[in-house]
Amino acid sequence: MVSQYGFKFAIHLVTNHFGKIVAKVCETLFRKGPLSLGEIIRCTELTPEQVKNSLLVLVQHNCVQAYVPADQCTIAFPPLFSNFFVFATEIILFSVNVVRGEDGSMATVEYLALFDNIIHRLRFPKFLEIAKHQFDDECEKVLDGLLRDGRLTLKQMIERAVQGKENPGAIEAVVRESFHKLLKARYIERCPAPEPVISTLIKAESAPRKRGSKMAKKFEAPETIEQRVLEAAVPGEAIRFAVTAYTLGNADREAKSDDSSMVNVGDNSGGIANEGSILWRANFEEFIRHLRHKLLVENERKRLDDGAATILSAILDVTKTVEKKVKIEKSVPLSLDSIFTEVTKTEHGRTMTIDRVRASLVQLGCPQRNFDDSYSIDLKSIVEMARNEEVESIVLKRFGSDAYRIFRLLSKSNCFLETDKIAESALVDKKETPRLLYKLWKDNYLYMEKLVVTAAKQSRFMLWKVNKPLLWEYVLDEMYHAALNLSLRLAFEQEKDEDLLHVPADKLVPADKSSEANALQKRYRRLRDVLFLMGSSLMKLDDALMLFHDF
């Protein structure tokens, strides 16, 4: 469930990137949920042309996904991408509102705003830095084109690169090579199905559990409509990262067959004819996985040592293609021999012995599993420790050292404690403890319960606890609020001194020392420092947003 300020921040990003009309359509989808074209027109009071153009922009930039509810459609639909035609960099949807079946029946298309994809637009500089660091500048340029334009064919990527340049043949070869590097690393993928058919009903349990059964099933929250839409729209693994084109029937059969294998991305035979029809986009999921792995490794490096971080990094690198989602709780099980082989491939792991690797695995909290002699690291606990440290640092800065000790005590105990017990254990004055506890409770950092005991005389006790799931949601909402305020202030500073951004460079470093020239130079330096400080602060704040929302 996305918080209030999370929606406001997402709408602010859409306004900055695409304008107020597109933002109004997106805001309506956030507030009302999935809507058809007619419903969006009625709610926004915009013209049909404005709404259609706004939806085209949002779909093109992967901010909205269209789908057809299964309860409105019981017919077969045309093949994948059959209702998409690519002209230059525009995608024209012929089925913007209604899909017609083979029997003449109609089914309404609904549109769903994708919150995560909108927030990912804030992380584009990080994605580009990953591509540049892992590969080269040419891969960064190819990825930059996909991030700017949303969806492109390989033909459009090549045309974009060779425009106005000499020696187009050599540039085309470089673009193809960079494209294959990014595709092999899964940083780009084929675009999802334009209008998948999904069920909007919550799935019931396949078989009722017997009364009194000791095998109680672990509770799992039902999938949201957004999760089901995205799962239905994503192509099968066999074609999601493949260059060679297939028809939908063949692709589905390959994707669903048990013995299907990954298509070699370097094999371009048969794909040249389809370079102008297959759409590609950046794979945000893979970038977020990379950033999550980086956080896990760096936290263990800080908590333990370089050896443990090297082993964890080797395990995550070799198993990342097997991970079915980003937020996995435990790493994929590996045997000690497999882990040692991967560790010795790294620069820092070549000097390690197998005993050193085994000792580091124990440090990482993964004792050997007896039934298959493999090791699996609890990644969820590492993320939780990082979240606890982030919240504790906020409490320390906002409430002081005494409140920090109280909060840390309650966070680690993970149970209700009485006021006098807290004062005694946290070494805080008994008169000061109730005031700090009430202050933390008032700001939603603590959960309180009153306990009344009736014996010879009635006594009332105040019990306190840190409710981590609720606290993390509150902290995340506060971070969205801070990111929104910081972005608004950044936009204000840019608008206030917009004239300085268009001043020629020679005037900013004048030859004379006149007062007017010095004043202009001071204004420019102030604007440069303010934009750099706010931009870097926003990127650091985004690291915390990913920790609490994406990791």
Side-chain angles (χ1 to χ4, degrees):
M1 183 66 181
V2 181
S3 62
Q4 175 188 359
Y5 283 108
F7 283 134
K8 289 183 177 180
F9 183 50
I11 294 167
H12 170 72
L13 291 176
V14 174
T15 305
N16 278 354
H17 293 178
F18 307 119
K20 294 182 178 179
I21 294 178
V22 178
K24 188 173 184 179
V25 173
C26 189
E27 182 178 5
T28 302
L29 292 174
F30 276 140
R31 296 191 184 280
K32 302 287 185 179
L35 297 173
S36 64
L37 177 63
E39 291 170 337
I40 297 173
I41 293 172
R42 285 193 296 272
C43 292
T44 59
E45 297 181 352
L46 297 172
T47 65
E49 192 66 25
Q50 287 177 321
V51 173
K52 288 180 181 179
N53 290 335
S54 298
L55 288 173
L56 287 172
V57 170
L58 291 170
V59 170
Q60 171 74 15
H61 289 274
N62 309 297
C63 298
V64 162
Q65 174 65 47
Y67 73 96
V68 179
D71 55 352
Q72 298 184 21
C73 178
T74 57
I75 57 176
F77 282 85
L80 184 64
F81 300 123
S82 64
N83 54 351
F84 271 78
F85 290 92
V86 182
F87 294 98
T89 58
E90 296 183 357
I91 303 173
I92 301 178
L93 288 165
F94 285 93
S95 53
V96 168
N97 186 29
V98 178
V99 177
R100 182 180 296 275
E102 295 175 354
D103 60 353
S105 59
M106 309 296 286
T108 304
V109 177
E110 294 188 353
Y111 297 90
L112 175 70
L114 304 178
F115 173 80
D116 289 346
N117 284 10
I118 294 173
I119 298 298
H120 288 334
R121 300 188 65 81
L122 180 66
R123 296 154 191 159
F124 284 179
K126 296 180 181 179
F127 298 166
L128 292 172
E129 184 63 27
I130 291 172
K132 182 178 180 180
H133 178 74
Q134 189 168 337
F135 300 111
D136 50 36
D137 293 341
E138 298 302 327
C139 290
E140 181 188 15
K141 292 177 183 178
V142 172
L143 180 63
D144 181 63
L146 283 172
L147 295 177
R148 286 177 181 274
D149 297 329
R151 304 180 177 195
L152 292 174
T153 64
L154 179 55
K155 183 179 179 182
Q156 290 171 347
M157 296 179 209
I158 295 172
E159 290 175 352
R160 183 179 182 274
V162 302
Q163 187 175 9
K165 303 286 183 63
E166 297 180 359
N167 196 2
I171 296 176
E172 178 180 348
V174 171
V175 171
R176 289 184 185 277
E177 182 182 359
S178 301
F179 171 81
H180 287 302
K181 286 180 182 178
L182 292 169
L183 187 59
K184 188 175 181 180
R186 300 195 171 193
Y187 288 140
I188 59 177
E189 63 177 355
R190 289 200 188 196
C191 289
E195 293 153 5
V197 181
I198 69 155
S199 172
T200 56
L201 301 176
I202 298 176
K203 297 180 181 178
E205 290 187 9
S206 57
R209 197 172 65 244
K210 293 182 180 180
R211 185 177 180 180
S213 173
K214 295 182 180 179
M215 299 297 290
K217 185 178 180 181
K218 183 180 178 181
F219 172 77
E220 293 183 1
E223 287 186 331
T224 62
I225 293 180
E226 180 177 349
Q227 289 172 331
R228 292 199 295 273
V229 169
L230 294 178
E231 184 179 356
V234 172
E237 289 291 316
I239 63 171
R240 185 181 177 187
F241 305 105
V243 173
T244 308
Y246 300 95
T247 61
L248 180 63
N250 293 336
D252 279 352
R253 282 193 292 272
E254 276 197 64
K256 295 178 181 179
S257 62
D258 294 332
D259 57 346
S260 62
S261 58
M262 184 70 184
V263 179
N264 182 8
V265 296
D267 184 11
N268 198 32
S269 59
I272 298 177
N274 297 279
E275 288 179 357
S277 61
I278 301 175
L279 288 167
W280 303 92
R281 68 173 187 177
N283 183 13
F284 297 149
E285 180 183 346
E286 191 63 30
F287 284 107
I288 295 299
R289 179 181 287 109
H290 178 95
L291 292 171
R292 184 178 191 254
H293 289 178
K294 182 179 178 181
L295 176 132
L296 294 170
V297 171
E298 293 305 319
N299 270 268
E300 292 306 278
R301 190 188 309 278
K302 181 174 62 174
R303 188 175 71 93
L304 300 174
D305 53 31
D306 291 340
T310 300
I311 292 169
L312 177 59
S313 177
I315 292 173
L316 295 176
D317 284 344
V318 74
T319 60
K320 63 182 179 181
T321 57
V322 188
E323 295 177 5
K324 295 182 179 180
K325 58 181 181 178
V326 174
K327 296 182 182 180
I328 58 170
E329 296 185 358
K330 293 187 176 181
S331 64
V332 179
L334 287 177
S335 65
L336 181 61
D337 291 338
S338 300
I339 295 173
F340 182 70
T341 302
E342 294 301 322
V343 168
T344 53
K345 293 178 182 178
T346 63
E347 182 179 355
H348 297 288
R350 289 172 190 151
T351 58
M352 291 187 182
T353 62
I354 195 166
D355 291 335
R356 174 71 175 88
V357 173
R358 186 185 289 109
S360 294
L361 287 171
V362 174
Q363 276 186 306
L364 289 167
C366 53
Q368 183 174 334
R369 298 170 59 186
N370 296 324
F371 65 90
D372 61 354
D373 190 30
S374 62
Y375 291 83
S376 180
I377 300 173
D378 188 359
L379 304 179
K380 182 180 178 181
S381 64
I382 301 176
V383 173
E384 287 184 353
M385 284 190 289
R387 289 176 178 175
N388 290 337
E389 290 178 2
E390 186 70 28
V391 177
E392 287 170 5
S393 67
I394 295 173
V395 171
L396 178 61
K397 293 176 183 177
R398 185 176 295 184
F399 302 101
S401 58
D402 289 343
Y404 164 76
R405 289 201 300 273
I406 291 173
F407 179 83
R408 184 176 174 85
L409 170 68
L410 291 170
S411 177
K412 288 189 174 296
S413 63
N414 200 27
C415 63
F416 283 102
L417 293 179
E418 196 267 333
T419 306
D420 292 339
K421 178 67 174 177
I422 294 172
E424 180 183 349
S425 301
L427 302 177
V428 179
D429 183 56
K430 286 191 175 182
K431 294 182 179 179
E432 186 72 8
T433 301
R435 186 186 70 83
L436 293 173
L437 287 169
Y438 274 110
K439 193 173 183 181
L440 289 167
W441 170 74
K442 187 178 179 181
D443 287 352
N444 298 313
Y445 282 87
L446 292 182
Y447 178 73
M448 177 186 67
E449 279 193 5
K450 298 179 182 179
L451 179 64
V452 178
V453 178
T454 304
K457 65 175 182 178
Q458 185 173 344
S459 302
R460 188 179 69 170
F461 298 95
M462 309 297 291
L463 302 178
W464 309 87
K465 180 185 178 182
V466 175
N467 190 329
K468 291 182 180 179
L470 292 179
L471 175 59
W472 289 341
E473 289 181 9
Y474 170 74
V475 170
L476 179 61
D477 189 46
E478 288 290 296
M479 288 178 177
Y480 281 129
H481 192 183
L484 176 60
N485 290 339
L486 192 56
S487 298
L488 290 172
R489 181 58 187 270
L490 185 61
F492 170 76
E493 292 290 344
Q494 287 179 327
E495 185 178 355
K496 185 180 69 171
D497 294 327
E498 186 178 4
D499 55 323
L500 290 177
L501 301 176
H502 305 290
V503 175
D506 56 342
K507 290 188 177 182
L508 296 174
V509 187
D512 57 336
K513 299 295 182 179
S514 63
S515 59
E516 182 179 353
N518 289 334
L520 182 65
Q521 193 173 17
K522 286 181 180 179
R523 285 181 59 202
Y524 175 76
R525 286 178 178 174
R526 177 195 170 277
L527 177 62
R528 182 190 61 188
D529 294 342
V530 166
L531 295 183
F532 175 78
L533 178 62
M534 290 187 175
S536 59
S537 299
L538 189 59
M539 288 296 103
K540 289 181 179 178
L541 184 56
D542 180 56
D543 291 338
L545 288 175
M546 287 190 291
L547 174 62
F548 284 89
H549 179 71
D550 299 286
F551 297 165

